[in-house]
Every structure is written in C-alpha cells, then in structure tokens.
Amino acid sequence: MDFSLIRGVIPPIVTPVDADECVEEQGLRRVVEHVIAGGVHGILSLGSNGEFYGLDHEQQERAVQITIEQVAGRVPVYMGIGAISTKECVKLARLGDTLNAQALTILPPMFLTPSEEELYQHFRKVAEATALPVLLYNNPDRVGNNISVNLIERLADIPNIVGVKDSSGDLTLTSEYIRRTREKGFKVMAGRDVMILGSLVYGAVGCVASTANIVPALVVEIYEKFIAGDLQGALEAQFKLAPLRMASNLASFPVVTKEAMNLIGLEVGGSILPNTSCSEINRNKLADILKQMGALK
C-alpha cells in the first residue's frame, strides 16, 4: 500500500447482522456503497462501531471479505484487530494478509494493564507478523490502556507501524503525537469526531469517524475544505457535525450509530446483544438532530 493513501476520512463501518447475529450481507454492501458515495477515502472493517467483539472468527472473516469484495479497489480497506493476547493478534494480522486487506488497525489489549515495555513488545510482534501497514488505535476510555507519547515515538521506528488513530479526546496528546513523530513520516488521525478540524490544524492527516457512517459527505467536507484552505468552511462543517457526535450518549455505545442509520433508511438492523436500542424518547431526540442537519426529511 502506498502510505500516502493513509489520509482523509475513514469510517469504521457498522456491521449489519441478522436475527442470529451473523453478518447480513446485503446490508453490509449497502453500507459500503453509502459511505463511498459520500466521498470517503478509506473504510475500516471491524472497528469498534463494527462490533468486532460480538463476532466470532468466522463472522469477522466474512465481514472483511464482503467489504473488500464490495469496495472492489475503490478505496483502501483497513481490517481492525481487537484481541487481547499477542498470539491472537498475530493470527488475525496474518488473516488480514490472506484476505488482501490494505492495512490493519490494532487496539491495545483490553482488560489487562500491560506495562509500556509489554505494550511495545506486543505491538512489535504483531507488526512483524505481517507485511501490511499498521495503524495503532488509541482508545483509553474503552480499552483502559493509553498509548503514551514516549511509546508512540518508539513504535514509529518500526517500519510498518505507520500511524495512529487517537480517540483519547485529549488534543494535547494528539498534538504531541504529531510533534514528536513528524520527522518520521508517521501518520496521526483524529478519532474523536468533534476534534477533526483541531487535529487537522495540528497536522493530522485525516480521521476515523463513526459519524461518517451516517453523514459521510459532511465529514468529508470538513477534511476537503481544510485541505483547500477554506478554514471557515471547514469550521462550519465541523460545527454542523457536532450535535450528531454529541448524541452518542443517547444509548449504550455503539448503538446510536446504527439507530441513526436506520432512521435515515439504510436498514442496518439492530445491535449485538447485550446492547439493544435507544429508548423511544431518545430515538426521537436523535431524529430531531438528524432533521436539523438535513439528514432526515
């Protein structure tokens, strides 16, 4: 993969599932077409919004296969890895190679509290198991482990660890990632949808944004207007997007993304148990936000 292609807006696409919580193929193909029509620059399969944790290996593989087939080379496809053990992550990284994904994203191990050296060795061993470019995924609120600036600086020296998605919500951390690695060609991407523009101003190359499942063209507008030098236009697009991202607390994570997609007619089905759905009151609040944005008539 040409590392210059790691840029722009990458939605962590939802995984539509059927009544047995298996991948619903036609729904997934619709999602791919929806985000590509919105102008995205890549697609992440099996991100946290893709509910990777609720799919067994067979279903994870199927989700990635269908996504890659439907994308048909139009944009790069990233495969998400969220396993706990190094051995399991290595196995999934090799699967990404086999499936012809263009890149991988890797979360730190959940539940455990590894030291910085243990995290370094974990990421190094996974990266060395694959020829694919690796984008680290910092999400301390969900995982319980934060990838420090010092650790990012060390990991940036591993040839195929090419960047990080930062979902910490800490713009100081994001900016330090960029400052400390900018001479190495390391790519930093925003992971909080309300901080896309701020991260771009500091030097991020794009974002991995859950709201791009719902309103991909609006998220792309933030990026493209910034790149074109239209800072005010990018700011207006960022402010327009904010209420939708702030609505994510209307249900358990990541229920709201699917709820919003269903409301606008994409028919992606329900969330994987134990998550269920929004209350009727909160679904109406979400619908009002979508109407105010012009996403729902």
Side-chain angles (χ1 to χ4, degrees):
M1 179 182 178
D2 180 355
F3 291 173
S4 68
L5 295 176
I6 299 176
R7 62 176 183 84
V9 175
I10 303 170
I13 58 170
V14 303
T15 308
V17 293
D18 61 21
D20 296 318
E21 297 188 339
C22 294
V23 177
E24 200 283 289
E25 180 174 346
Q26 294 310 310
L28 180 52
R29 292 183 186 277
R30 281 195 303 274
V31 171
V32 169
E33 290 305 314
H34 173 66
V35 298
I36 287 181
V40 302
H41 306 88
I43 287 176
L44 169 57
S45 177
L46 303 181
S48 50
N49 271 268
E51 299 174 292
F52 68 88
Y53 45 80
L55 301 170
D56 61 26
H57 278 186
E58 180 183 353
Q59 291 302 309
Q60 287 188 11
E61 181 174 350
R62 188 160 178 261
V64 177
Q65 282 179 324
I66 292 168
T67 301
I68 290 173
E69 180 183 309
Q70 189 65 27
V71 168
R74 289 175 285 177
V75 296
V77 175
Y78 299 65
M79 174 181 159
I81 294 175
I84 295 175
S85 71
T86 304
K87 179 180 179 180
E88 188 69 10
C89 288
V90 165
K91 182 178 179 181
L92 289 168
R94 289 173 176 160
L95 175 63
D97 269 321
T98 301
L99 294 174
N100 295 315
Q102 279 75 61
L104 303 173
T105 70
I106 306 177
L107 275 166
M110 292 166 279
F111 181 71
L112 306 177
T113 54
S115 68
E116 193 158 295
E117 182 60 25
E118 287 169 333
L119 277 176
Y120 175 80
Q121 295 299 334
H122 170 76
F123 286 127
R124 182 182 64 79
K125 287 177 182 178
V126 178
E128 288 176 349
T130 177
L132 294 173
V134 170
L135 192 72
L136 304 173
Y137 178 5
N138 189 45
N139 194 345
D141 287 354
R142 299 289 168 197
V143 174
N145 297 307
N146 188 55
I147 304 176
S148 72
V149 177
N150 287 337
L151 181 55
I152 281 289
E153 195 169 20
R154 291 180 67 195
L155 290 167
D157 289 329
I158 296 171
N160 64 325
I161 296 184
V162 299
V164 62
K165 169 198 174 184
D166 184 24
S167 295
S168 67
D170 180 351
L171 195 55
T172 300
L173 182 65
T174 304
S175 66
E176 281 297 285
Y177 280 173
I178 294 165
R179 185 179 71 84
R180 296 269 291 271
T181 63
R182 59 182 174 162
E183 303 300 327
K184 303 182 181 190
F186 195 72
K187 313 283 189 179
V188 177
M189 304 197 82
R192 284 285 179 101
D193 299 30
V194 292
M195 296 171 62
I196 297 168
L197 180 56
S199 300
L200 289 171
V201 169
Y202 268 111
V205 299
C207 63
V208 181
S210 60
T211 52
N213 277 283
I214 307 156
V215 285
L218 177 59
V219 184
V220 168
E221 185 180 346
I222 300 169
Y223 174 78
E224 292 190 342
K225 287 194 171 179
F226 174 79
I227 294 299
D230 181 5
L231 189 59
Q232 188 60 41
L235 180 62
E236 291 306 318
Q238 177 72 85
F239 283 158
K240 185 176 180 181
L241 179 68
L244 180 58
R245 175 59 181 83
M246 300 303 288
S248 63
N249 63 357
L250 292 177
S252 303
F253 175 85
V255 168
V256 167
T257 307
K258 277 187 171 177
E259 289 274 6
M261 295 174 80
N262 286 326
L263 282 168
I264 65 173
L266 281 170
E267 298 179 18
V268 296
S271 296
I272 294 174
L273 295 173
N275 285 340
T276 54
S277 59
C278 286
S279 67
E280 185 175 354
I281 290 173
N282 283 349
R283 189 177 297 110
N284 289 337
K285 290 179 181 177
L286 180 59
D288 286 342
I289 289 167
L290 292 167
K291 287 175 184 174
Q292 290 166 15
M293 298 175 67
L296 179 63
K297 305 301 180 186

XYZ file of all heavy atoms in Angstrom, residues 196-290:
693
model
N -11.996 16.745 14.736
C -11.375 16.514 13.430
C -10.603 17.745 12.977
O -9.422 17.661 12.641
C -12.434 16.115 12.386
C -13.112 14.792 12.774
C -11.796 15.996 10.991
C -14.359 14.478 11.964
N -11.263 18.877 12.957
C -10.613 20.090 12.462
C -9.430 20.485 13.336
O -8.355 20.837 12.824
C -11.619 21.242 12.375
C -11.046 22.570 11.861
C -10.395 22.403 10.504
C -12.136 23.634 11.813
N -9.597 20.447 14.651
C -8.493 20.788 15.541
C -7.277 19.908 15.297
O -6.136 20.376 15.279
N -7.511 18.623 15.078
C -6.413 17.699 14.815
C -5.756 17.996 13.474
O -4.519 17.955 13.347
C -6.932 16.253 14.843
O -7.482 15.941 16.104
N -6.565 18.317 12.460
C -6.013 18.661 11.153
C -5.124 19.903 11.235
O -4.063 19.964 10.614
C -7.143 18.890 10.145
C -7.934 17.666 9.690
C -9.152 18.095 8.875
C -7.065 16.701 8.886
N -5.556 20.877 12.005
C -4.770 22.102 12.152
C -3.392 21.791 12.742
O -2.374 22.355 12.331
C -5.516 23.136 13.016
C -4.607 24.299 13.388
C -6.746 23.651 12.274
N -3.345 20.865 13.692
C -2.069 20.473 14.289
C -1.193 19.661 13.337
O 0.018 19.585 13.524
C -2.303 19.663 15.564
C -2.345 20.500 16.806
C -3.530 20.673 17.509
C -1.191 21.110 17.296
C -3.568 21.436 18.675
C -1.223 21.876 18.451
C -2.411 22.035 19.143
O -2.446 22.800 20.287
N -1.823 19.032 12.326
C -1.026 18.255 11.381
C -1.493 16.833 11.176
O -0.802 16.031 10.527
N -2.659 16.476 11.729
C -3.217 15.154 11.451
C -3.526 15.030 9.962
O -3.748 16.033 9.274
C -4.487 14.930 12.274
N -3.540 13.791 9.466
C -3.752 13.568 8.029
C -5.189 13.180 7.711
O -5.531 12.961 6.552
C -2.790 12.490 7.482
C -1.347 12.931 7.658
C -3.035 11.123 8.140
N -6.036 13.090 8.727
C -7.429 12.716 8.487
C -8.090 12.254 9.760
O -7.660 12.599 10.863
N -9.135 11.451 9.604
C -9.896 10.997 10.768
C -10.508 9.628 10.508
O -10.752 9.244 9.372
C -11.012 11.985 11.095
S -12.249 12.162 9.785
N -10.724 8.902 11.593
C -11.540 7.687 11.580
C -12.777 8.046 12.386
O -12.723 8.154 13.611
C -10.798 6.490 12.185
C -11.666 5.236 12.125
C -9.473 6.254 11.452
N -13.886 8.295 11.687
C -15.033 8.969 12.297
C -16.298 8.125 12.192
O -16.751 7.811 11.088
C -15.257 10.318 11.616
N -16.895 7.803 13.337
C -18.108 6.982 13.342
C -19.266 7.673 12.638
O -20.091 7.024 11.990
C -18.499 6.621 14.776
O -18.752 7.780 15.540
N -19.347 9.011 12.754
C -20.445 9.732 12.119
C -20.390 9.656 10.592
O -21.390 9.917 9.932
C -20.452 11.208 12.555
O -19.146 11.767 12.340
C -20.835 11.354 14.011
N -19.230 9.280 10.043
C -19.128 9.125 8.591
C -19.898 7.916 8.095
O -20.091 7.747 6.893
C -17.663 9.034 8.164
N -20.368 7.055 9.010
C -21.330 6.016 8.636
C -22.660 6.628 8.213
O -23.370 6.089 7.369
C -21.609 5.088 9.822
C -20.603 3.998 10.020
O -20.604 3.010 9.306
N -19.736 4.178 11.008
N -23.008 7.741 8.864
C -24.340 8.332 8.742
C -24.343 9.454 7.716
O -25.142 9.461 6.780
C -24.799 8.864 10.118
C -24.694 7.768 11.179
C -26.231 9.404 10.033
C -24.553 8.292 12.607
N -23.420 10.406 7.895
C -23.348 11.590 7.025
C -21.932 11.706 6.450
O -21.205 12.657 6.742
C -23.747 12.871 7.787
C -25.248 12.929 7.988
C -23.013 12.973 9.134
N -21.528 10.735 5.628
C -20.138 10.749 5.147
C -19.754 12.017 4.409
O -18.642 12.522 4.571
C -20.072 9.513 4.231
C -21.494 9.209 3.868
C -22.289 9.603 5.066
N -20.666 12.568 3.609
C -20.324 13.750 2.817
C -20.013 14.948 3.709
O -19.140 15.766 3.382
C -21.453 14.088 1.852
N -20.693 15.062 4.854
C -20.439 16.178 5.766
C -19.063 16.039 6.416
O -18.320 17.029 6.541
C -21.527 16.249 6.840
C -21.351 17.343 7.904
C -21.293 18.732 7.275
C -22.484 17.260 8.932
N -18.705 14.829 6.815
C -17.388 14.615 7.415
C -16.299 14.871 6.376
O -15.278 15.516 6.666
C -17.269 13.198 8.006
C -15.927 13.029 8.703
C -18.403 12.921 8.994
N -16.516 14.400 5.167
C -15.561 14.643 4.080
C -15.416 16.140 3.823
O -14.318 16.629 3.518
C -15.998 13.897 2.799
C -15.204 14.366 1.584
C -15.828 12.386 2.991
N -16.501 16.885 3.981
C -16.458 18.337 3.761
C -15.484 19.019 4.723
O -14.768 19.947 4.333
C -17.866 18.919 3.925
C -17.970 20.397 3.601
C -19.388 20.932 3.768
O -20.332 20.120 3.875
O -19.540 22.167 3.808
N -15.447 18.568 5.974
C -14.500 19.140 6.936
C -13.082 18.976 6.402
O -12.296 19.932 6.347
C -14.617 18.460 8.317
C -16.012 18.630 8.902
C -13.555 19.013 9.276
C -16.263 17.764 10.140
N -12.756 17.769 6.001
C -11.405 17.465 5.523
C -11.084 18.215 4.234
O -10.029 18.871 4.126
C -11.272 15.962 5.306
C -9.964 15.547 4.663
C -8.791 15.486 5.411
C -9.906 15.224 3.320
C -7.592 15.114 4.822
C -8.711 14.855 2.724
C -7.549 14.793 3.480
O -6.368 14.434 2.888
N -11.975 18.131 3.267
C -11.660 18.707 1.959
C -11.597 20.229 2.000
O -10.762 20.846 1.327
C -12.661 18.212 0.920
C -12.486 16.715 0.647
C -13.280 16.212 -0.532
O -14.243 16.894 -0.959
O -12.950 15.107 -1.028
N -12.461 20.850 2.807
C -12.385 22.311 2.913
C -11.110 22.739 3.631
O -10.486 23.749 3.267
C -13.635 22.865 3.597
C -14.851 22.807 2.680
C -16.006 23.634 3.160
C -17.084 23.702 2.061
N -18.261 24.493 2.481
N -10.696 21.985 4.608
C -9.429 22.308 5.275
C -8.269 22.189 4.290
O -7.411 23.087 4.218
C -9.201 21.382 6.469
C -7.852 21.577 7.098
C -7.622 22.635 7.953
C -6.811 20.718 6.799
C -6.364 22.836 8.513
C -5.546 20.915 7.348
C -5.328 21.980 8.209
N -8.224 21.107 3.527
C -7.138 20.896 2.571
C -7.122 22.005 1.518
O -6.064 22.440 1.058
C -7.271 19.512 1.894
C -7.056 18.386 2.923
C -6.301 19.357 0.725
C -5.690 18.373 3.587
N -8.309 22.488 1.158
C -8.411 23.554 0.152
C -8.091 24.929 0.721
O -8.071 25.921 -0.016
C -9.808 23.557 -0.461
N -7.863 25.012 2.031
C -7.537 26.293 2.650
C -8.745 27.089 3.107
O -8.606 28.243 3.538
N -9.924 26.484 3.030
C -11.153 27.152 3.454
C -11.409 26.828 4.921
O -12.243 25.981 5.253
C -12.324 26.705 2.566
C -13.641 27.370 2.938
O -13.648 28.252 3.829
O -14.682 26.996 2.339
N -10.682 27.489 5.798
C -10.765 27.178 7.222
C -12.140 27.485 7.793
O -12.679 26.723 8.605
C -9.688 27.954 7.985
C -9.490 27.580 9.452
C -9.119 26.107 9.585
C -8.423 28.456 10.084
N -12.753 28.592 7.355
C -14.083 28.930 7.861
C -15.122 27.917 7.414
O -15.990 27.516 8.195
C -14.483 30.336 7.386
C -15.776 30.857 8.021
C -15.694 30.954 9.542
O -14.670 31.374 10.093
N -16.758 30.570 10.224
N -15.019 27.478 6.161
C -15.948 26.459 5.666
C -15.779 25.148 6.412
O -16.767 24.468 6.745
N -14.531 24.779 6.708
C -14.270 23.559 7.467
C -14.835 23.672 8.876
O -15.399 22.711 9.422
C -12.766 23.287 7.511
N -14.700 24.863 9.476
C -15.218 25.085 10.818
C -16.739 24.978 10.856
O -17.310 24.363 11.768
C -14.781 26.463 11.321
C -15.234 26.854 12.731
C -14.668 25.893 13.765
C -14.810 28.290 13.043
N -17.404 25.541 9.859
C -18.869 25.454 9.816
C -19.321 24.003 9.670
O -20.304 23.577 10.292
C -19.418 26.311 8.672
C -19.270 27.808 8.889
C -19.872 28.283 10.208
O -20.980 27.818 10.558
O -19.233 29.104 10.903
N -18.610 23.226 8.850
C -18.956 21.811 8.691
C -18.712 21.055 9.994
O -19.508 20.185 10.383
C -18.146 21.202 7.550
N -17.622 21.382 10.683
C -17.331 20.737 11.967
C -18.424 21.044 12.995
O -18.890 20.149 13.707
C -15.973 21.215 12.489
C -15.579 20.668 13.852
C -15.212 19.207 13.840
O -14.082 18.831 13.569
N -16.177 18.346 14.156
N -18.836 22.305 13.053
C -19.896 22.680 13.992
C -21.228 22.016 13.623
O -22.021 21.656 14.493
C -20.055 24.198 14.038
C -18.997 24.905 14.839
C -18.731 26.242 14.624
C -18.281 24.248 15.822
C -17.759 26.913 15.364
C -17.305 24.895 16.572
C -17.052 26.237 16.341
N -21.489 21.877 12.333
C -22.733 21.225 11.904
C -22.758 19.761 12.312
O -23.803 19.205 12.662
C -22.886 21.353 10.380
C -24.197 20.809 9.846
C -24.336 21.060 8.342
C -25.657 20.511 7.811
N -25.776 20.738 6.328
N -21.587 19.121 12.297
C -21.489 17.705 12.650
C -21.610 17.479 14.157
O -22.090 16.425 14.597
C -20.144 17.155 12.165
C -19.854 15.681 12.460
C -20.786 14.779 11.646
C -18.388 15.350 12.159
N -21.187 18.444 14.957
C -21.032 18.253 16.401
C -22.263 17.682 17.106
O -22.132 16.762 17.920
C -20.587 19.553 17.056
N -23.485 18.185 16.852
C -24.628 17.651 17.594
C -24.841 16.149 17.392
O -25.284 15.459 18.320
C -25.815 18.454 17.036
C -25.210 19.727 16.546
C -23.883 19.333 16.001
N -24.516 15.651 16.200
C -24.689 14.216 15.956
C -23.692 13.418 16.780
O -24.040 12.399 17.385
C -24.515 13.919 14.459
C -24.661 12.450 14.052
C -26.027 11.893 14.454
C -24.447 12.301 12.542
N -22.443 13.872 16.823
C -21.447 13.167 17.646
C -21.804 13.261 19.122
O -21.649 12.289 19.876
C -20.054 13.743 17.390
C -18.959 13.151 18.297
C -18.841 11.639 18.134
N -17.820 11.070 19.010
C -18.004 10.755 20.292
N -19.195 10.964 20.876
N -17.026 10.222 20.996
N -22.315 14.399 19.562
C -22.672 14.566 20.961
C -23.880 13.723 21.348
O -24.141 13.495 22.536
C -22.949 16.045 21.258
C -21.762 16.974 20.999
S -20.269 16.545 21.913
C -20.763 17.042 23.562
N -24.619 13.247 20.345
C -25.792 12.404 20.611
C -25.420 10.951 20.887
O -26.304 10.132 21.170
C -26.750 12.458 19.417
N -24.142 10.624 20.836
C -23.739 9.222 21.013
C -24.071 8.686 22.399
O -24.103 7.476 22.606
C -22.237 9.059 20.742
O -21.483 9.803 21.679
N -24.337 9.592 23.360
C -24.674 9.144 24.717
C -26.173 8.883 24.900
O -26.634 8.656 26.015
C -24.198 10.174 25.751
C -24.882 11.529 25.600
O -25.679 11.728 24.678
N -24.567 12.462 26.490
N -26.933 8.892 23.798
C -28.372 8.619 23.908
C -28.675 7.135 24.076
O -29.824 6.735 24.273
C -29.101 9.162 22.673
C -29.133 10.689 22.541
C -29.818 11.101 21.232
C -29.846 11.330 23.741
N -27.651 6.292 23.963
C -27.799 4.848 24.189
C -26.421 4.287 24.485
O -25.408 4.990 24.412
C -28.414 4.167 22.971
N -26.356 3.008 24.804
C -25.079 2.360 25.053
C -24.230 2.371 23.781
O -24.748 2.176 22.676
C -25.295 0.908 25.490
O -26.110 0.844 26.637
N -22.925 2.590 23.957
C -22.018 2.551 22.808
C -22.032 1.148 22.206
O -21.989 0.162 22.936
C -20.596 2.899 23.259
C -19.576 2.772 22.173
C -19.356 3.808 21.289
C -18.842 1.608 22.025
C -18.418 3.692 20.277
C -17.913 1.478 21.022
C -17.695 2.521 20.142
N -22.065 0.968 20.868
C -22.184 1.992 19.832
C -23.558 2.003 19.165
O -23.678 2.122 17.947
C -21.119 1.533 18.828
C -21.231 0.019 18.877
C -21.659 -0.330 20.288
N -24.596 1.872 19.975
C -25.961 1.704 19.476
C -26.409 2.863 18.585
O -27.075 2.657 17.552
C -26.938 1.530 20.664
C -28.388 1.646 20.214
C -26.698 0.192 21.351
N -26.061 4.088 18.963
C -26.618 5.265 18.288
C -26.266 5.304 16.797
O -27.074 5.754 15.981
C -26.165 6.559 18.998
C -26.452 7.793 18.157
C -26.883 6.676 20.347
N -25.084 4.817 16.430
C -24.708 4.840 15.009
C -25.698 4.043 14.180
O -26.207 4.520 13.154
C -23.286 4.293 14.810
O -22.388 4.993 15.661
C -22.844 4.480 13.363
N -26.003 2.820 14.615
C -26.975 2.007 13.868
C -28.374 2.613 13.929
O -29.109 2.591 12.935
C -26.990 0.570 14.409
C -25.892 -0.318 13.837
C -26.047 -1.767 14.278
C -25.078 -2.669 13.523
N -25.156 -4.076 13.982
N -28.750 3.142 15.079
C -30.077 3.761 15.205
C -30.225 4.894 14.184
O -31.253 5.007 13.505
C -30.268 4.306 16.619
C -30.441 3.250 17.685
C -31.879 2.793 17.845
O -32.748 3.209 17.050
O -32.138 2.017 18.789
N -29.200 5.737 14.076
C -29.260 6.857 13.136
C -29.320 6.369 11.694
O -30.059 6.921 10.866
C -28.059 7.775 13.338
N -28.570 5.334 11.392
C -28.567 4.794 10.027
C -29.930 4.200 9.672
O -30.427 4.360 8.550
C -27.448 3.774 9.866
C -26.065 4.400 10.008
S -24.723 3.206 9.992
C -24.567 2.922 8.215
N -30.538 3.526 10.633
C -31.884 3.004 10.394
C -32.886 4.134 10.178
O -33.763 4.045 9.309
C -32.324 2.122 11.569
C -31.637 0.776 11.593
O -31.342 0.199 10.547
N -31.377 0.254 12.774
N -32.747 5.204 10.955
C -33.664 6.337 10.825
C -33.597 6.979 9.443
O -34.613 7.403 8.901
C -33.373 7.379 11.900
C -33.891 7.071 13.307
C -33.283 8.022 14.331
C -35.422 7.162 13.350
N -32.402 7.035 8.856
C -32.277 7.665 7.534
C -32.514 6.678 6.399
O -32.361 7.028 5.227
C -30.915 8.373 7.355
C -29.754 7.381 7.382
C -30.739 9.458 8.399
C -28.401 8.015 7.044
N -32.912 5.430 6.750
C -33.359 4.487 5.733
C -32.334 3.504 5.221
O -32.570 2.830 4.206
N -31.203 3.343 5.933
C -30.169 2.422 5.444
C -30.402 0.977 5.867
O -29.758 0.067 5.351
C -28.788 2.880 5.909
C -28.198 4.029 5.098
C -26.965 4.580 5.770
C -27.866 3.582 3.690
N -31.300 0.734 6.821
C -31.701 -0.617 7.230
C -30.505 -1.498 7.570
O -30.215 -2.488 6.894
C -32.546 -1.275 6.126
C -33.839 -0.544 5.830
C -34.643 -1.207 4.721
O -34.382 -2.388 4.414
O -35.516 -0.546 4.162
N -29.824 -1.131 8.663
C -28.663 -1.918 9.083
C -28.987 -2.861 10.236
O -28.112 -3.585 10.717
C -27.497 -0.992 9.485
C -27.028 -0.179 8.293
C -27.865 -0.080 10.650
N -30.243 -2.876 10.679
C -30.646 -3.795 11.730
C -30.235 -3.338 13.113
O -29.842 -2.192 13.327
N -30.330 -4.272 14.063
C -30.063 -3.946 15.453
C -28.628 -4.181 15.859
O -27.799 -4.645 15.080
N -28.339 -3.848 17.120
C -27.008 -4.047 17.682
C -26.882 -5.458 18.230
O -27.868 -6.159 18.453
C -26.743 -3.025 18.791
O -26.736 -1.717 18.271
N -25.640 -5.866 18.461
C -25.358 -7.189 19.008
C -25.540 -7.146 20.525
O -25.034 -6.243 21.199
C -23.928 -7.618 18.632
C -23.832 -7.819 17.115
C -23.528 -8.894 19.366
C -22.432 -8.107 16.603
N -26.272 -8.121 21.056
C -26.525 -8.206 22.494
C -25.207 -8.326 23.262
O -24.263 -8.929 22.767
C -27.417 -9.409 22.792
C -28.839 -9.335 22.213
C -29.562 -10.659 22.434
C -29.617 -8.176 22.809
N -25.143 -7.711 24.446
C -26.256 -7.235 25.266
C -26.786 -5.849 24.905
O -27.774 -5.414 25.510
C -25.660 -7.208 26.674
C -24.215 -6.906 26.451
C -23.857 -7.634 25.193
N -26.151 -5.124 23.973
C -26.712 -3.834 23.571
C -28.042 -4.036 22.864
O -28.216 -5.029 22.136
C -25.749 -3.090 22.647
C -24.574 -2.496 23.397
O -24.634 -2.305 24.605
N -23.505 -2.206 22.685
N -28.958 -3.121 23.042
C -30.263 -3.270 22.402
C -30.553 -2.066 21.509
O -30.168 -2.046 20.346
C -31.372 -3.481 23.450
O -31.320 -2.425 24.421
C -31.221 -4.824 24.139
N -31.193 -1.034 22.058
C -31.594 0.093 21.206
C -31.822 1.326 22.064
O -31.791 1.270 23.297
C -32.888 -0.250 20.450
O -33.932 -0.540 21.372
N -32.066 2.442 21.405
C -32.440 3.673 22.114
C -33.843 3.536 22.707
O -34.687 2.804 22.170
C -32.466 4.854 21.143
S -30.867 5.463 20.607
N -34.101 4.260 23.751
C -35.480 4.409 24.206
C -36.232 5.226 23.159
O -35.622 5.921 22.332
C -35.514 5.128 25.556
O -35.068 6.470 25.405
N -37.543 5.152 23.192
C -38.342 5.910 22.226
C -38.079 7.415 22.361
O -37.972 8.128 21.352
C -39.831 5.621 22.417
C -40.705 6.284 21.365
C -42.169 5.898 21.470
O -42.494 5.024 22.298
O -42.983 6.472 20.726
N -37.950 7.887 23.600
C -37.691 9.312 23.821
C -36.363 9.710 23.174
O -36.275 10.719 22.460
C -37.678 9.633 25.332
C -39.080 9.516 25.911
C -37.108 11.025 25.589
C -39.139 9.642 27.423
N -35.329 8.913 23.404
C -34.013 9.259 22.862
C -33.940 9.062 21.349
O -33.220 9.796 20.666
C -32.929 8.456 23.571
C -32.626 9.006 24.952
O -33.071 10.102 25.309
N -31.866 8.260 25.737
N -34.708 8.102 20.841
C -34.744 7.937 19.378
C -35.368 9.167 18.729
O -34.922 9.621 17.664
C -35.523 6.678 18.994
C -35.404 6.330 17.497
C -36.132 5.038 17.149
N -35.548 3.911 17.835
C -36.138 3.246 18.829
N -37.344 3.618 19.266
N -35.542 2.224 19.401
N -36.380 9.715 19.369
C -36.998 10.945 18.854
C -36.022 12.120 18.920
O -35.990 12.960 18.009
C -38.271 11.264 19.637
C -39.402 10.299 19.323
O -39.419 9.673 18.255
N -40.349 10.166 20.238
N -35.223 12.186 19.997
C -34.196 13.229 20.084
C -33.183 13.089 18.949
O -32.773 14.075 18.332
C -33.467 13.149 21.435
C -34.301 13.560 22.626
C -33.485 13.422 23.907
C -34.319 13.799 25.139
N -33.533 13.601 26.391
N -32.790 11.851 18.680
C -31.833 11.591 17.598
C -32.435 11.978 16.250
O -31.761 12.597 15.413
C -31.437 10.109 17.615
C -30.438 9.640 16.569
C -29.118 10.401 16.664
C -30.198 8.130 16.713
N -33.688 11.645 16.050
C -34.359 12.003 14.800
C -34.412 13.521 14.618
O -34.212 14.035 13.509
C -35.771 11.409 14.770
N -34.658 14.237 15.701
C -34.697 15.707 15.627
C -33.331 16.264 15.210
O -33.254 17.195 14.400
C -35.113 16.304 16.969
C -36.596 16.119 17.261
O -37.364 15.850 16.304
O -36.985 16.228 18.441
N -32.264 15.700 15.757
C -30.920 16.147 15.391
C -30.656 15.886 13.908
O -30.142 16.746 13.192
C -29.856 15.437 16.270
C -29.937 15.965 17.700
C -28.445 15.640 15.699
C -29.158 15.113 18.696
N -31.037 14.710 13.455
C -30.847 14.361 12.029
C -31.663 15.291 11.117
O -31.200 15.695 10.037
C -31.216 12.906 11.787
C -30.286 11.868 12.424
C -30.930 10.484 12.381
C -28.933 11.837 11.713
